[in-house]
Amino acid sequence: IGRRKFNFTFTFTPHSREEATMIDTIVARFKFHSHPEFITKSKGLMMTIPDTFDMHYMYQSSENSFLNKISTCFLTAINVQYGGDRFTAHDTATNHQGSSGSPPTKTILTMEFQELETITRERISEGY
């Protein structure tokens, strides 16, 4: 029995430069938090552990009890597809790093998360 994996795919279609900038920031943050960094004192020999995520399925303002709970996860894969079948872009805008370019009119973000723990019958009875 292995640890459970969860895939999430989000399709973003910005209608303005502001929305395109928000999407760029969202993608950049997930990329950033899914990777380790070198520990300075180790002179490039050791790395930190990537960030973990605690996710909840929500309905209005509370957790949705009809969907299983997800234990603490880490992001194992992230894929970004720009433009869909045919690439098109908006007029020039500024990205999260302050550089200018033409943001895509469609961005598909696919992420695969894996739980840190193996889920047991006891955890299933708790809603996991």
Side-chain angles (χ1 to χ4, degrees), residues 69-84:
K69 293 180 182 180
I70 300 174
S71 184
T72 300
C73 295
F74 57 97
L75 187 51
T76 61
I78 184 168
N79 182 47
V80 184
Q81 181 183 350
Y82 297 105

Side-chain angles (χ1 to χ4, degrees), residues 3 7 17 19 29 61 65-66 99 101 105 115 120 122 127:
R3 294 178 289 189
N7 292 309
R17 286 186 181 126
E19 287 183 4
R29 286 189 181 169
S61 62
S65 62
F66 279 88
S99 300
T105 56
E115 290 176 318
T120 62
E122 290 79 20

Side-chain angles (χ1 to χ4, degrees), residues 48-60:
T48 61
I49 296 170
D51 292 336
T52 58
F53 297 83
D54 291 310
M55 297 181 281
H56 306 278
Y57 293 110
M58 302 295 290
Y59 177 71
Q60 295 179 347

Side-chain angles (χ1 to χ4, degrees), residues 26-45:
I26 291 167
V27 170
R29 286 189 181 169
F30 275 110
K31 283 182 178 180
F32 178 84
H33 290 286
S34 69
H35 289 81
E37 61 186 337
F38 285 108
I39 297 172
T40 308
K41 294 179 182 179
S42 74
K43 298 180 182 170
L45 299 175

Side-chain angles (χ1 to χ4, degrees), residues 2 20-23 43 59 67 81 84-85 90 92 98 100-101 108 113 115 126:
T21 301
M22 266 192 263
I23 292 165
K43 298 180 182 170
Y59 177 71
L67 301 173
Q81 181 183 350
D85 297 334
H90 288 285
T92 304
S100 62
I108 302 170
F113 293 88
E115 290 176 318
E126 296 169 2

